């Protein structure tokens, strides 16, 4: 009983809408085989329409069918929503990290390549890409657009060295960074 005690307490942090999407049994089963979880990264992202989003990265110790344990890493997003005077979890999305392929085999995992290929080659938006700045696991890439505007892309570097695009900004006429979303897939289709 005491081993299961934290689960109902933690489930209470969900909004009523999230209860409808994830039953208690589904929630409980999501921890099957997991012996321990560490929160290794957490950053607040810009608020969106009453939602307070966070980026997270987790390290877990999990059992396997081979009779050994292993470390597994996940990154994702948690969205909080204000319910009366409390903030509750309204959504969580987690993605497993790949340690065999991700860091060295695909350009999609490298921030500089993503910006150069997707926003430069595909969208034709880059006049000049400035040197990447890195502070811990936060990478920022600035570039001057073909439209003369300044752009800023923020990536988080995961434990497996994959860079994940977090935010895109464009400087407005008053010198303020405005959050934007450029979809490079649309550039290719056009």
């Amino acid at each position: 009983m005491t081993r299961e005690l934290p689960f109902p307490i933690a489930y209470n942090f969900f909004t009523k809408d999230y209860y409808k999407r994830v039953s208690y049994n589904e929630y409980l089963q999501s921890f099957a085989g997991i012996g321990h979880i560490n929160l290794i990264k957490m950053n607040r992202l810009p608020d969106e329409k009453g939602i307070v989003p966070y980026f997270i990265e987790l390290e877990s110790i999990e059992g396997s069918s081979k009779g050994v344990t292993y470390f597994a890493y996940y990154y994702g997003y948690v969205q909080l929503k204000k319910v009366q005077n409390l903030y509750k979890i309204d959504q969580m999305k987690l993605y497993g990290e790949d340690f065999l392929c991700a860091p060295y085999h695909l350009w999609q995992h490298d921030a500089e390549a993503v910006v150069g290929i997707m926003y430069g080659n595909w969208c034709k938006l880059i006049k000049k890409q400035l040197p990447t700045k890195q502070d811990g696991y936060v990478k920022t890439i600035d570039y001057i657009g073909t439209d003369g505007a300044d752009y800023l892309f923020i990536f988080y570097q995961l434990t497996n060295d994959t860079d994940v695009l977090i935010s895109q900004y464009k400087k407005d006429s008053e010198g303020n960074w405005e959050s934007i979303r450029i979809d490079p897939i649309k550039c290719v289709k056009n």
Side-chain angles (χ1 to χ4, degrees):
M1 177 68 180
T2 54
R3 183 180 162 103
E4 291 185 10
L5 186 60
F7 296 107
I9 293 169
Y11 191 71
N12 248 353
F13 289 115
F14 290 1
T15 62
K16 288 181 181 177
D17 286 340
Y18 202 44
Y19 288 151
K20 293 174 188 173
R21 296 190 304 267
V22 179
S23 73
Y24 180 73
N25 283 335
E26 288 174 292
Y27 163 75
L28 196 56
Q29 283 302 308
S30 71
F31 292 96
I34 297 176
H36 188 77
I37 299 174
N38 289 317
L39 175 65
I40 56 176
K41 291 181 182 129
M42 183 172 96
N43 268 1
R44 186 171 177 169
L45 302 173
D47 294 0
E48 297 178 10
K49 300 176 188 169
I51 299 294
V52 181
Y54 284 86
F55 171 88
I56 62 171
E57 187 177 23
L58 305 171
E59 173 190 69
S60 67
I61 301 174
E62 301 181 10
S64 75
S65 60
K66 294 181 178 183
V68 296
T69 57
Y70 61 91
F71 288 91
Y73 292 82
Y74 302 89
Y75 76 95
Y77 305 90
V78 175
Q79 293 182 347
L80 304 181
K81 189 175 184 180
K82 193 169 188 176
V83 178
Q84 295 169 0
N85 290 329
L86 300 172
Y87 284 92
K88 294 202 166 209
I89 297 169
D90 193 51
Q91 185 169 340
M92 282 190 293
K93 289 185 179 179
L94 294 176
Y95 306 94
E97 295 182 34
D98 183 354
F99 277 78
L100 294 176
C101 292
Y104 301 110
H105 297 128
L106 298 172
W107 62 264
Q108 295 93 331
H109 300 286
D110 178 71
E112 293 82 358
V114 166
V115 171
I117 293 169
M118 295 175 109
Y119 301 95
N121 294 342
W122 295 2
C123 294
K124 310 291 186 229
L125 293 175
I126 299 177
K127 181 176 180 180
K128 180 178 181 184
Q129 186 168 325
L130 304 174
T132 301
K133 296 176 213 138
Q134 185 160 357
D135 183 13
Y137 62 87
V138 179
K139 280 187 172 182
T140 56
I141 299 177
D142 295 278
Y143 70 87
I144 300 166
T146 52
D147 60 357
D150 292 334
Y151 291 85
L152 170 67
F153 283 34
I154 299 175
F155 291 80
Y156 290 164
Q157 189 172 53
L158 303 177
T159 300
N160 71 353
D161 284 336
T162 294
D163 299 326
V164 177
L165 179 59
I166 299 298
S167 305
Q168 305 173 19
Y169 298 95
K170 181 178 180 180
K171 197 174 275 189
D172 66 18
S173 60
E174 296 169 11
N176 300 313
W177 289 108
E178 176 183 296
S179 182
I180 60 169
R181 288 204 179 146
I182 302 168
D183 183 354
I185 302 302
K186 288 183 180 175
C187 299
V188 174
K189 289 179 180 176
N190 294 336

